Amino acid sequence: MEKLTAASTLAELWRHPVGHDVLDKLLLQMGRGEGWVTNPLVSRLTIGRACRLGRGLVGEGFADTLLALVNAAPPPVTGAPGVRRAPFKEDVFYQIYPRSFRDADGDGVGDLAGILEKLPYLQELGITALWLSPIYASPMDDNGYDISDYRAVNPEFGTMEDLERLLAEVHRRGMKLIMDLVVNHTSDEHPWFREACRDRQSPYHDYYIWRDGGPDAPPNNWTSFFSGPAWNYYPEVGQWALHLFSKKQMDLNWDNPALRAEVAQIVRWWLDKGVDGFRMDVINYISKASLADGSEAVGKLMGFTGIEHYFYGPRLHEYLHELRENAFAPYGAVMVGETPGVGLEMAKQLTAEERETLDMVFNFDQLETPGHVRFDDYDYDLAYLKKYYLKWMAGMPDNCRMSIFWDNHDNPRMLGKIERGQEYRAVLAKLLAVLQLTLKGTPFLYQGQELGMTNIPFPSAAELRDVESLNLCRALEKEAGPKAAFEKVLAGTRDHARTPMQWENAPGAGFTSGTPWIWLSDDWQAGWNAADEAADPDSVLNAYKALLALRRAHPVFAYGAFAQQYASRRDLFCYTRTGEGERYAVLLNLMPGAAPRPRLPAGAACAYNSYGGPAKELRPYEAEIWRLEGPER
Ligand code: NOJ
């Protein structure tokens, strides 16, 4: 691919795969359409001139950063005909956030024994693979995403024997288990970091990212994801160390081959134990292009200053490929990258089979509608979800793979973002289930999603637990006062998804016999719990069971081609999945009102209906799957 220069036009940048993703992301954050870039007045501008004109906005040096970013990218991915079969494409993953899943010992915090106890539930649900959020030794500043020993289990969760028992039982039941690999950073209590602070000459010093300088001003203007500057000063070595996340999560220096070798060893150590792969935390941040100042304008738009220097760094592909070769490939283990900020073309470059980097990525742009960030209080419009997936379904070739998800431990639940009331809660939860389980990609469910768990307003800031929310609340309180600060944080707090699993209508919701570590509302008393739902044929839980069974029985959902149908119907999202000798149509009514039913080919048989059976019209948020006969129309 030809290198772009300052003399290249914005039209050329838009045509460049990675340039396209970058512009697309900026437009998305601004809530603007692509016409802003593609109109002839703008698209004829050179990159150099556009950045000069916008210097006041984007700052000095932005053109260079942008050009370095796009020019370092690997060549564009070309599609390869035919889907290669692979177990991770057929699996349905289920994310467990151990603190909040099931507490077997009554201390109020979920544990490994609790997960073991619930394996029959997960198997009956139809889950084939589990992803455990971190259970390693950690001071728990970020609930385990700050690791102090990669080879030890945090006593809060149990022992290594508990983990081995869990793994054996998962495998005995024919399921898989992947762990969380958090190696963009370690805890500041990790022995490597302690040693690095103690002695500048120690080999561990270069495991982290340091800059010289006096204590008064950090080396650049980067901000951390959890408020404040991305640097801590350490007087013992007279240097600043980088932390993109909390003050206790210190960024590792992947440019150091010794560190990369350590990471490979950690991965192999766990794979030797029998785990089936890893979900890799913010793995696209590991290659920092430079430590130059970030653009203030981009920082404002994205919420974090400096991100353009590391979200798609120049050695990212090299490091991932190396790790795959040295650790994952010999075991056939699965590599799922958490890759915030990565767009469609970058996702292709990261997952194309022939590139041998990641198997799948998590991209996050489906989670907020254009112009919104997580902490905005707004109603999510399903029309955007449709637009987003139409683009990705058309854009991801068969040699690349995406994950499909709505909920995780870092976001309020999608269900509650679309509808804050309760009127359509169950039927909307079923619509999301149908969509997630019939799009082309590998579904990742998050605990409680199968019950229709939703966002329940926390009563006060005192009930919040998450480091991100607490830091943000503190920062906002200074500007806006406690009430406004809490309201803002409430809209986007990650704690929404971290409330305890609602197992039964019993004190502690069957999560714990003690006092839960985080707020538990009374939602479980109104039937929103696993036991009551198991007994109710119309429940969200039973909808998931039926849909998972359907997906398992028909590989067309894992591998089949996707084609939109009835494209003129803006109120509906309709598509077919075709392949493996079968064809299914999916009809989704995206509206909270009735909609005329599109005509299906003769011989269509209803395989799933979210209201219990089809009616003349499509009812509010109704979701259906039909088995079709004959050739594609
Ligand atoms: C992404 C994780 O999902 C999130 O929970 C964590 O806070 C950050 N990475 C930092 O590890």
Side-chain angles (χ1 to χ4, degrees):
M1 176 119 210
E2 228 165 81
K3 299 279 181 219
L4 296 183
T5 68
S8 309
T9 61
L10 290 186
E12 288 170 286
L13 183 63
W14 183 249
R15 278 198 300 274
H16 185 285
V18 169
H20 188 97
D21 273 4
V22 171
L23 290 175
D24 204 46
K25 179 75 185 165
L26 294 174
L27 291 170
L28 180 71
Q29 295 301 121
M30 293 192 290
R32 304 289 176 194
E34 59 180 66
W36 260 53
V37 174
T38 53
N39 80 71
L41 272 182
V42 175
S43 67
R44 277 202 292 262
L45 284 177
T46 64
I47 296 173
R49 185 158 160 69
C51 288
R52 271 196 307 281
L53 286 174
R55 188 165 42 213
L57 204 65
V58 294
E60 291 290 345
F62 187 65
D64 292 341
T65 308
L66 185 65
L67 289 169
L69 199 158
V70 295
N71 287 332
V77 169
T78 44
V83 195
R84 191 178 61 90
R85 299 180 87 91
F88 72 82
K89 297 182 183 174
E90 295 175 27
D91 280 326
V92 174
F93 284 78
Y94 183 98
Q95 183 192 352
I96 292 183
Y97 195 65
R99 288 185 79 78
S100 306
F101 190 65
R102 161 77 185 138
D103 168 25
D105 64 7
D107 65 357
V109 177
D111 43 41
L112 292 167
I115 301 172
L116 184 71
E117 195 186 293
K118 295 298 181 185
L119 286 185
Y121 165 87
L122 294 169
Q123 192 177 24
E124 208 190 310
L125 177 58
I127 297 302
T128 60
L130 304 178
W131 151 27
L132 284 197
S133 274
I135 46 76
Y136 313 94
S138 159
M140 291 285 160
D141 187 55
D142 186 19
N143 286 355
Y145 283 91
D146 48 320
I147 297 172
S148 54
D149 184 348
Y150 288 97
R151 294 179 177 85
V153 170
N154 195 303
E156 248 187 340
F157 296 128
T159 61
M160 191 57 82
E161 290 67 46
D162 291 329
L163 185 69
E164 284 162 358
R165 206 169 301 125
L166 176 67
L167 185 58
E169 188 56 20
V170 165
H171 286 161
R172 199 187 64 77
R173 288 173 181 275
M175 296 192 274
K176 301 180 189 103
L177 183 99
I178 68 168
M179 307 264 289
D180 218 309
L181 186 67
V182 188
V183 286
N184 174 68
H185 43 266
T186 68
S187 162
D188 65 345
E189 297 183 32
H190 193 290
W192 297 342
F193 191 72
R194 292 212 155 134
E195 188 57 23
C197 282
R198 202 186 54 77
D199 178 5
R200 258 178 105 139
Q201 303 314 317
S202 155
Y204 293 109
H205 189 75
D206 194 40
Y207 276 27
Y208 296 88
I209 301 176
W210 300 93
R211 279 300 170 267
D212 291 333
D216 300 334
N220 68 22
N221 67 351
W222 294 10
T223 53
S224 109
F225 288 94
F226 294 164
S227 305
W231 296 90
N232 293 339
Y233 187 69
Y234 292 87
E236 51 277 48
V237 283
Q239 285 184 306
W240 294 83
L242 180 72
H243 65 89
L244 294 181
F245 292 89
S246 91
K247 285 190 156 311
K248 289 178 67 61
Q249 291 168 295
M250 308 314 299
D251 276 60
L252 286 165
N253 175 19
W254 276 68
D255 294 338
N256 179 346
L259 178 271
R260 300 204 300 276
E262 271 310 334
V263 172
Q265 265 177 33
I266 293 168
V267 170
R268 285 196 302 265
W269 191 85
W270 281 102
L271 296 178
D272 279 337
K273 266 204 184 300
V275 308
D276 299 287
F278 284 93
R279 172 269 191 190
M280 303 163 79
D281 191 67
V282 289
I283 203 65
N284 57 318
Y285 292 177
I286 56 177
S287 163
K288 276 79 177 171
S290 86
L291 295 179
D293 275 345
S295 154
E296 296 285 350
V298 172
K300 249 195 209 107
L301 209 55
M302 308 295 297
F304 322 102
T305 305
I307 194 161
E308 66 274 24
H309 292 286
Y310 58 77
F311 88 103
Y312 203 61
R315 300 184 69 186
L316 172 63
H317 287 260
E318 173 195 336
Y319 295 159
L320 290 175
H321 179 68
E322 180 186 283
L323 185 60
R324 185 177 188 101
E325 270 202 326
N326 292 344
F328 285 81
Y331 297 80
V334 69
M335 278 175 98
V336 192
E338 190 215 16
T339 54
V342 154
L344 172 59
E345 293 300 329
M346 297 172 182
K348 283 160 62 177
Q349 293 183 337
L350 284 165
T351 62
E353 283 158 1
E354 64 280 12
R355 302 279 165 94
E356 296 176 334
T357 45
L358 298 172
D359 291 309
M360 293 181 272
V361 288
F362 286 108
N363 167 281
F364 293 87
D365 289 342
Q366 77 280 23
L367 296 186
E368 311 299 339
T369 59
H372 290 116
V373 293
R374 173 152 56 89
F375 288 98
D376 291 342
D377 195 11
Y378 73 99
D379 289 324
Y380 186 99
D381 182 358
L382 279 177
Y384 172 69
L385 201 62
K386 168 177 167 181
K387 187 171 164 212
Y388 174 91
Y389 279 107
L390 283 174
K391 175 178 154 186
W392 280 72
M393 291 294 111
M396 285 293 268
D398 280 343
N399 51 331
C400 302
R401 189 74 173 179
M402 67 187 296
S403 64
I404 313 273
F405 74 100
W406 322 134
D407 289 359
N408 64 20
H409 63 295
D410 287 334
N411 288 279
R413 292 184 183 269
M414 184 62 121
L415 179 61
K417 291 203 287 197
I418 300 167
E419 199 219 16
R420 292 186 241 205
Q422 300 277 328
E423 189 178 359
Y424 296 115
R425 180 167 166 186
V427 76
L428 196 50
K430 293 176 192 172
L431 177 140
L432 288 173
V434 171
L435 185 59
Q436 187 175 11
L437 295 170
T438 59
L439 284 173
K440 189 170 182 184
T442 298
F444 281 74
L445 310 184
Y446 178 68
Q447 64 186 44
Q449 193 188 324
E450 78 278 18
L451 303 176
M453 279 179 66
T454 190
N455 305 322
I456 313 280
F458 285 77
S460 75
E463 305 297 339
L464 298 177
R465 293 287 175 273
D466 174 30
V467 60
E468 179 199 45
S469 302
L470 296 172
N471 286 357
L472 184 61
C473 227
R474 249 175 254 132
L476 292 173
E477 270 175 17
K478 288 189 199 131
E479 298 159 22
K483 186 167 175 287
F486 174 59
E487 272 163 19
K488 179 90 186 157
V489 171
L490 188 58
T493 178
R494 308 191 293 181
D495 282 337
H496 279 301
R498 299 176 179 188
T499 61
M501 258 301 267
Q502 298 173 183
W503 290 110
E504 53 188 280
N505 190 345
F511 163 69
T512 181
S513 56
T515 308
W517 70 279
I518 190 169
W519 192 62
L520 173 66
S521 75
D522 55 7
D523 190 53
W524 50 274
Q525 291 177 16
W528 297 102
N529 65 70
D532 287 352
E533 291 195 37
D536 170 6
D538 289 335
S539 68
V540 176
L541 179 61
N542 279 318
Y544 268 94
K545 278 187 196 162
L547 290 164
L548 284 162
L550 185 71
R551 188 185 157 98
R552 258 199 328 279
H554 302 279
V556 60
F557 292 113
Y559 295 115
F562 172 99
Q564 189 189 9
Q565 307 293 342
Y566 311 110
S568 61
R569 291 291 299 273
R570 296 179 57 175
D571 52 345
L572 308 182
F573 187 10
C574 305
Y575 49 89
T576 43
R577 299 294 312 277
T578 308
E580 310 284 315
E582 292 189 290
R583 186 143 59 99
Y584 281 85
V586 177
L587 306 184
L588 307 170
N589 177 8
L590 303 181
M591 298 294 158
R597 165 182 287 290
R599 189 194 293 270
L600 285 168
C606 188
Y608 175 78
N609 178 287
S610 59
Y611 278 78
K616 217 163 142 232
E617 284 187 315
L618 287 174
R619 288 153 288 189
Y621 294 129
E622 186 159 1
E624 292 182 333
I625 305 175
W626 292 80
R627 189 183 164 80
L628 304 183
E629 288 179 344
E632 176 99 73
R633 286 178 176 234

